[in-house]
């Protein structure tokens, strides 16, 4: 952090995501883009409140990174945000961006999710820094987010490299003391034509590959004395090498240990690591997920001690797991934390009034095989609906449905449908649908259009008619879009009209070519919908036979009376959607 700004800073309690937004504004970032994904979504939602920074949601992470690359080429500082799996989508431009380099400084936030709190895998994106040859920082808390980012854009511009900034769920969402300061005056945009640097044909790529290695050698020297890497000398017997949030667990569990705290984790400071290891009798590495640090440290020829109990290779670490590894007592929670009551269990379930429930209820009755996708509607895979057969990654439902159709042949006819959310379809569902058309498939695709990216907090997307800052935007016409791709059968229906929706799916299955059913109904939690909820559903206990059919739609507003086995409508949850009345065979539920 620049010394001349320190007296001007004020303390602030910030989450890691808020600290990223604050630091980007202070650094003079003019353009920020990304795709919403827990745990990184709040970064752009916060930064959009700073009018000096143009903030946008992109249709997917690859587009976001490419747009940022163009803005950087124009000389402005940029920020790109995504969750860890988003970097897989952006991997194509990312792997070449270190070759072309950047002009305006660029920081790419990758928000990893150890323990998969809201993700389909827990890949360790530290490997991407080494793979893509991009410098990487790993903060332990919000204060380090501010400190590390204060110099990240300068470093990016000086070496003309994108900087990968790895955060984890705990760092993104935990609040700690950080600081706020003034904004740096942004550089004026400019563009200079450079054929060799910016056009990655093989001849130029070979030239830039050599230059990239020269930059990495400069970095390898710089990280040895970079303030993000530091030795905390204590015990001469016990030493631990760690990075990121794991540092907090180590300090809490092993307060006597000497620590090599790494904040700059690619490239690693080889000489500093050797110096630290030589200063203690027993040197350990403690880290989450992959043995990234351990592998690199051992490759340096440094002898590492073995912890008494193996490190869990899966999931988040905690003070308790670190204590178990070293065979010491776990730190006790503070009295205030220990006094907190247990939270009531809240099983993952679709919201009361959610339009997706009607879709999955219908598909289950039709006994169809459903290839699914990533979104809040993935909850349709869970009991009691249990109506989704697959979930792999963003946009995979259509391709997998087509592949299953090809594998099963006539057996798949009229039996397989692909389900995908509106935002997911725009993210990566268009090309697999084009593949179905191009290769003569018959796949039926159901687009769940609830007018928002609901799972990550109701974010705008190209189909919602709004931009990130709330401004108006053209809303995608899904029926026109799929017809332009060559889909001849495309209909839009309200899934809460259960009979019409079922009829539309049946017609799509009978169609001789690819077909798309757009199940369109706004998310029940959107502000403009919440004010229109209808009165609570009426329940007639005398008519009810306790058959349990209403429970099988999985609505949280329908509770079970333990004594009678009959339903009880929770008026605090019921939106009056009436879906349960269509499921009740005896007429005990009515609007």
């Amino acid at each position: 952090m620049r010394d001349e700004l320190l007296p001007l800073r004020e303390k602030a309690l910030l989450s890691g995501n808020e600290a990223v937004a604050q630091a980007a504004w202070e650094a003079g970032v003019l353009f920020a883009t990304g795709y919403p994904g827990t745990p990184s979504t709040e970064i752009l939602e916060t930064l959009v409140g700073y009018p000096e920074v143009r903030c946008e949601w992109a249709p997917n992470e690859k587009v976001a990174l490419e747009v940022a690359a163009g803005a950087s080429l124009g000389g402005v500082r940029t920020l790109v945000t995504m969750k860890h799996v988003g970097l897989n989508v952006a991997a194509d431009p990312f792997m070449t961006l270190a070759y072309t380099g950047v002009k305006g400084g660029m920081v790419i936030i990758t928000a990893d999710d150890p323990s998969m709190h809201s993700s389909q895998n827990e890949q360790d994106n530290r490997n991407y820094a080494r793979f893509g040859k991009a410098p990487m920082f790993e903060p332990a808390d919000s204060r380090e987010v501010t400190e590390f980012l204060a110099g990240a854009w300068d470093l990016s511009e000086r070496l003309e490299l994108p900087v990968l900034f790895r955060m984890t769920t705990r760092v993104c969402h935990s609040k700690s003391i950080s600081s706020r300061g003034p904004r740096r005056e942004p550089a004026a945009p400019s563009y200079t034509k450079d054929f060799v640097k910016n056009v990655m044909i093989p001849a130029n790529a070979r030239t830039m590959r050599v230059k990239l290695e020269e930059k990495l050698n400069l970095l390898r020297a710089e990280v040895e004395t970079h303030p993000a890497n530091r030795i905390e000398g204590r015990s001469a017997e016990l030493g631990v090498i760690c990075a990121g949030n794991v540092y907090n667990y180590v300090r809490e569990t092993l307060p006597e240990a000497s620590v090599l705290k790494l904040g700059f984790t690619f490239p690693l400071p080889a000489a500093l690591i050797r110096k630290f290891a030589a200063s203690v009798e027993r040197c350990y590495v403690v880290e989450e997920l992959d043995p990234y640090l351990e592998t690199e440290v051992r490759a340096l020829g440094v002898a590492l001690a073995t912890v008494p109990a193996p490190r869990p290779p899966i999931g988040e670490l905690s003070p308790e797991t670190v204590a178990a590894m070293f065979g010491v007592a776990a730190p006790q929670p503070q009295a205030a934390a220990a006094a907190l009551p247990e939270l009531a269990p809240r099983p993952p379930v679709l919201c009361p009034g959610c339009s997706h429930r009607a879709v999955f209820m219908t598909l289950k009755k039709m006994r169809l095989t459903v290839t699914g996708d990533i979104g809040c509607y993935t909850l349709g895979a869970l009991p009691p609906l249990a109506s989704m057969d697959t979930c792999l990654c963003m946009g995979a439902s259509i391709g997998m449905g087509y592949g299953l159709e090809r594998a099963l042949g006539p057996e798949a006819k009229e039996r397989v449908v692909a389900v995908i959310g509106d935002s997911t379809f725009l993210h990566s569902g268009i090309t697999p649908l084009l593949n179905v058309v191009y290769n003569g498939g018959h796949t039926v695709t159901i687009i769940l259009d609830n007018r928002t990216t609901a799972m990550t907090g109701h974010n705008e997307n190209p189909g919602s008619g709004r931009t990130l800052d709330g401004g108006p935007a053209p809303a995608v016409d899904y029926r026109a879009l799929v017809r332009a791709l060559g889909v001849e059968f495309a209909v839009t229906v309200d899934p809460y009209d259960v009979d019409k929706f079922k009829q539309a799916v049946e017609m799509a299955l009978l169609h001789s070519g690819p077909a798309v059913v757009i199940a369109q109904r706004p998310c029940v939690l959107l502000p403009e919908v919440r004010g229109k909820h209808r009165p609570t559903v009426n329940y007639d206990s005398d008519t009810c036979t306790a058959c349990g059919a209403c429970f099988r739609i999985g609505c949280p507003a329908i509770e079970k009376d333990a004594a009678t086995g009959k339903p009880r409508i929770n008026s605090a949850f019921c939106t009056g959607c009436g879906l349960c009345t269509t499921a009740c065979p005896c007429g005990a539920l009515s609007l």
Side-chain angles (χ1 to χ4, degrees):
M1 187 169 296
R2 289 173 296 154
D3 293 340
E4 67 272 22
L5 295 182
L6 287 175
L8 302 176
R9 304 191 67 81
E10 62 178 21
K11 287 185 177 179
L13 183 64
L14 301 175
S15 70
N17 285 344
E18 291 169 337
V20 171
Q22 174 69 23
W25 177 80
E26 291 179 17
V29 167
L30 285 176
F31 185 80
T33 181
Y35 185 80
T38 306
S40 67
T41 308
E42 298 85 0
I43 296 173
L44 290 190
E45 289 181 331
T46 303
L47 190 56
V48 75
Y50 295 84
E52 298 89 347
V53 186
R54 170 73 184 185
C55 295
E56 298 180 354
W57 289 130
N60 64 35
E61 296 85 353
K62 179 176 184 290
V63 174
L65 185 53
E66 291 162 346
V67 171
S72 171
L73 185 64
V76 306
R77 291 189 163 187
T78 60
L79 173 71
V80 191
T81 70
M82 60 192 72
K83 68 181 297 175
H84 62 309
V85 289
L87 194 50
N88 301 337
V89 181
D92 197 358
F94 176 72
M95 297 303 293
T96 306
L97 201 53
Y99 283 53
T100 64
V102 300
K103 183 179 179 184
M106 178 190 292
V107 171
I108 304 167
I109 303 292
T110 170
D112 289 15
D113 189 20
S115 285
M116 298 163 280
H117 297 284
S118 57
S119 306
Q120 68 269 38
N121 72 30
E122 60 173 7
Q123 69 188 50
D124 189 332
N125 276 7
R126 292 180 297 178
N127 297 302
Y128 260 117
R130 181 173 50 189
F131 197 22
K133 306 186 188 309
M136 178 174 66
F137 288 97
E138 281 190 78
D141 53 26
S142 302
R143 180 181 61 80
E144 287 196 345
V145 169
T146 302
E147 292 178 354
F148 293 176
L149 282 176
W153 279 277
D154 290 334
L155 175 75
S156 174
E157 289 172 352
R158 184 159 42 82
L159 293 177
E160 298 185 345
L161 287 173
V163 170
L164 194 60
F165 201 83
R166 179 185 185 252
M167 299 170 69
T168 58
T169 302
R170 298 294 171 187
V171 177
C172 289
H173 290 165
S174 298
K175 290 205 172 191
S176 58
I177 298 295
S178 186
S179 61
R180 300 181 191 273
R183 178 171 167 82
R184 170 177 174 161
E185 186 64 30
S190 64
Y191 169 70
T192 304
K193 185 179 177 71
D194 190 332
F195 169 71
V196 174
K197 180 176 182 292
N198 295 323
V199 183
M200 278 307 97
I201 58 175
N204 291 345
R206 287 190 282 270
T207 299
M208 296 308 295
R209 176 68 184 88
V210 174
K211 289 184 177 295
L212 173 57
E213 202 58 30
E214 293 171 354
K215 294 175 184 178
L216 292 174
N217 286 333
L218 291 174
L219 259 180
R220 290 185 182 103
E222 182 167 336
V223 296
E224 297 291 350
T225 55
H226 196 283
N229 299 325
R230 66 173 185 270
I231 291 176
E232 299 176 358
R234 299 182 189 89
S235 168
E237 299 177 352
L238 174 62
V240 177
I241 301 173
C242 55
N245 192 40
V246 173
Y247 165 78
N248 299 316
Y249 305 148
V250 170
R251 288 290 297 123
E252 193 171 354
T253 307
L254 305 168
E256 78 285 5
S258 292
V259 173
L260 172 54
K261 164 71 171 64
L262 297 173
F264 207 138
T265 48
F266 183 82
L268 288 171
L272 189 65
I273 290 172
R274 290 193 179 100
K275 175 184 174 183
F276 176 74
S279 70
V280 293
E281 289 184 17
R282 290 171 286 126
C283 182
Y284 300 88
V285 167
V286 179
E287 58 187 328
E288 283 178 338
L289 304 185
D290 293 349
Y292 170 82
L293 293 177
E294 181 181 338
T295 302
E296 293 292 324
V297 171
R298 289 189 187 279
L300 294 173
V302 173
L304 292 175
T306 303
V307 292
R311 175 180 70 85
I314 301 171
E316 285 186 305
L317 294 186
S318 67
E320 290 74 21
T321 53
V322 174
M325 288 166 56
F326 285 87
V328 301
Q332 296 301 307
Q334 295 181 358
L340 291 174
E342 289 289 327
L343 293 174
R346 193 181 69 171
V349 64
L350 293 170
C351 299
C354 176
S355 60
H356 302 332
R357 178 173 288 103
V359 170
F360 290 114
M361 188 179 82
T362 303
L363 298 181
K364 185 175 184 179
K365 285 183 178 177
M366 297 176 72
R367 299 179 181 276
L368 296 175
T369 297
V370 180
T371 53
D373 226 296
I374 304 286
C376 56
Y377 51 90
T378 312
L379 293 170
L382 301 178
L385 292 168
S387 303
M388 187 183 289
D389 293 79
T390 69
C391 175
L392 180 63
C393 65
M394 294 283 281
S397 59
I398 301 175
M400 290 189 71
Y402 171 71
L404 193 58
E405 173 188 313
R406 284 299 182 206
L408 298 180
E411 287 185 34
K413 182 64 177 171
E414 301 174 26
R415 302 305 317 153
V416 178
V417 298
V419 171
I420 187 169
D422 49 355
S423 183
T424 312
F425 178 70
L426 298 173
H427 178 283
S428 49
I430 297 172
T431 45
L433 181 58
L434 183 62
N435 178 67
V436 173
V437 174
Y438 173 63
N439 287 300
H442 299 83
T443 310
V444 173
T445 300
I446 301 174
I447 299 175
L448 306 177
D449 177 15
N450 64 355
R451 318 306 294 168
T452 185
T453 309
M455 186 177 185
T456 48
H458 295 95
N459 314 109
E460 306 295 349
N461 63 56
S464 68
R466 295 281 177 187
T467 55
L468 173 57
D469 62 4
V476 169
D477 181 335
Y478 290 99
R479 194 158 52 172
L481 173 59
V482 302
R483 282 180 172 165
L485 294 175
V487 176
E488 295 178 351
F489 184 100
V491 296
T492 302
V493 293
D494 181 351
Y496 265 77
D497 190 333
V498 176
D499 291 337
K500 282 190 176 178
F501 174 71
K502 181 172 182 289
Q503 185 182 30
V505 176
E506 289 172 338
M507 293 173 63
L509 288 166
L510 292 172
H511 184 67
S512 59
V516 172
V517 176
I518 302 157
Q520 188 178 78
R521 189 180 180 90
C523 175
V524 71
L525 295 182
L526 286 172
E528 61 269 29
V529 178
R530 271 192 275 185
K532 297 178 181 177
H533 290 174
R534 295 188 292 185
T536 302
V537 164
N538 299 309
Y539 169 62
D540 184 349
S541 178
D542 294 336
T543 307
C544 179
T545 62
C547 68
C550 56
F551 298 129
R552 290 194 283 274
I553 69 172
C555 179
I558 304 176
E559 300 170 348
K560 190 173 187 177
D561 188 304
T564 66
K566 292 184 176 181
R568 183 175 53 223
I569 306 300
N570 187 330
S571 59
F573 291 162
C574 181
T575 65
C577 71
L579 185 64
C580 56
T581 67
T582 68
C584 178
C586 56
L589 298 170
S590 62
L591 288 172

